[in-house]
Amino acid sequence: MALPFAVVLPGLGEVKSFDELGKKYQDWLAGQDVAVQVLLTGLQSAVQGGVLGYMFGSISSFDPNQNGAAKPSNPALESVVKAGPWGSARNLAALTGVQAAASLAIKKARNGKEDVYSAMGASFLSGVAYSVVSGSPNPIQSAVTTGAAFALFNGLIYQFGQAFKPEFADTDYDRGKYMLKTLGLTKYADNLKKGLLTDNTIMLWNDSALAECRIPPGPRLLILHHLDTYRNPSNVLKPALPLPPLPPQPVATASAIAGR
C-alpha cells in the first residue's frame, strides 16, 4: 500500500509505501547489534500483544452477574475478566514481548539453530513474565509452574507440528555440501543454509560471504583455493572447468529393485 506522499526517515531513507517501510526496517534491524535486535523485536511484539490484549479485555469485561448470568467457573477465565482492558494489555504485552525477544536471543546464541529446546526455553521465560506481571500471592512458585506449563505446552505443539511437516527434498545445497565433504569440512555443511549459499551462488563465494556463515578462516581458505581451480584455470588457453560436481546418486537397494 502506497503512502500519500514520500517520507524520509532517519536511518531508512525515503519511504514510499508500507511494504517498502517494512523491508527497509528489517534490513536496518539485521545490521544492528544482537542486543538491539532482541530489544526492538521484543518491544515490537509487546506493542502488538498489548493492543490485542486491550481489545480482548474490552470484550471480556462484562458483569458476570448481569442478567442473571452465572459467574465463570474457570479460574483462568475469571482472572482475565477481572484484569480488565489495561490488565489484559499488560499481561499479553509481557507474554508476547518476552516470547519474541527470548526466541531471537536463543536463536542468536545457538548460531541460528531452532528446535524444540529453543521453543520451550522461550516459552518458559514468557510464562514467567506473564505470571510476574499478572500478580500472584505466591510469585516464585507461580512463576515456575506457569513457565513450566507454557514450556511443556509449546514443546508439545512444536513436536506435533514437526511430525506433520511435509518432507521435501532439499537439493539447493547438494553441490556445495558435496564439495565440503571432499575437502573434509562436512561439519560446516549446515552453515551454508544460514547464509543461503545455494549451489547457484558457488562461483560467487568470497571470504566475507563465508565469514557471514561463521566458517572459520582456515576452512574458508581451503574452500576458496578449491574454487579458484574452477574460476582461474592455470592455462589461459584451457577452457574453464565446470562447476564442482554433484554428489553421486545413491545406489538402489536389492529390495527396492525387487519391489519394482
Side-chain angles (χ1 to χ4, degrees):
M1 180 179 178
L3 296 172
F5 50 86
V7 179
V8 178
L9 299 175
L12 301 181
E14 186 179 25
V15 176
K16 299 180 180 179
S17 66
F18 288 106
D19 291 339
E20 186 179 5
L21 174 61
K23 183 179 183 303
K24 286 191 173 183
Y25 173 74
Q26 292 299 329
D27 293 341
W28 173 84
L29 185 62
Q32 305 304 308
D33 293 335
V34 174
V36 176
Q37 292 184 37
V38 171
L39 176 61
L40 293 182
T41 300
L43 288 175
Q44 180 181 343
S45 295
V47 170
Q48 296 174 350
V51 172
L52 292 177
Y54 184 86
M55 295 173 60
F56 179 74
S58 299
I59 297 173
S60 303
S61 59
F62 61 88
D63 184 358
N65 299 317
Q66 185 177 1
N67 298 327
K71 188 176 182 179
S73 57
N74 190 326
L77 178 59
E78 185 178 356
S79 64
V80 171
V81 172
K82 287 182 178 180
W86 290 109
S88 297
R90 174 201 62 206
N91 297 346
L92 199 57
L95 175 65
T96 56
V98 173
Q99 175 77 29
S103 296
L104 181 58
I106 294 174
K107 179 180 178 179
K108 293 290 186 181
R110 304 186 69 193
N111 295 327
K113 185 177 181 179
E114 294 181 277
D115 53 20
V116 65
Y117 301 108
S118 300
M120 293 181 68
S123 296
F124 177 82
L125 294 175
S126 65
V128 170
Y130 179 85
S131 176
V132 170
V133 300
S134 298
S136 173
N138 192 345
I140 297 179
Q141 179 181 351
S142 177
V144 173
T145 55
T146 303
F150 274 49
L152 179 61
F153 178 76
N154 202 30
L156 291 175
I157 293 297
Y158 182 91
Q159 292 292 75
F160 183 80
Q162 291 296 110
F164 289 92
K165 185 177 180 180
E167 293 291 338
F168 297 100
D170 188 2
T171 59
D172 291 337
Y173 303 89
D174 285 353
R175 198 185 301 270
K177 289 182 177 179
Y178 184 64
M179 179 179 66
L180 293 182
K181 181 179 179 180
T182 60
L183 296 175
L185 303 174
T186 307
K187 65 179 179 179
Y188 300 110
D190 290 339
N191 296 53
L192 301 181
K193 290 187 177 181
K194 298 174 184 177
L196 298 180
L197 295 181
T198 55
D199 288 347
N200 59 354
T201 67
I202 285 181
M203 303 307 285
L204 302 175
W205 289 5
N206 54 31
D207 188 75
S208 61
L210 297 175
E212 281 288 325
C213 298
R214 297 182 178 275
I215 297 179
R220 293 205 303 268
L221 292 174
L222 290 175
I223 294 170
L224 294 176
H225 175 70
H226 181 77
L227 290 177
D228 281 342
T229 62
Y230 296 91
R231 293 189 287 211
N232 303 308
S234 57
N235 189 346
V236 295
L237 299 179
K238 181 180 178 182
L241 296 177
L243 289 173
L246 285 166
Q249 296 296 322
V251 180
T253 60
S255 59
I257 297 176
R260 294 178 183 175

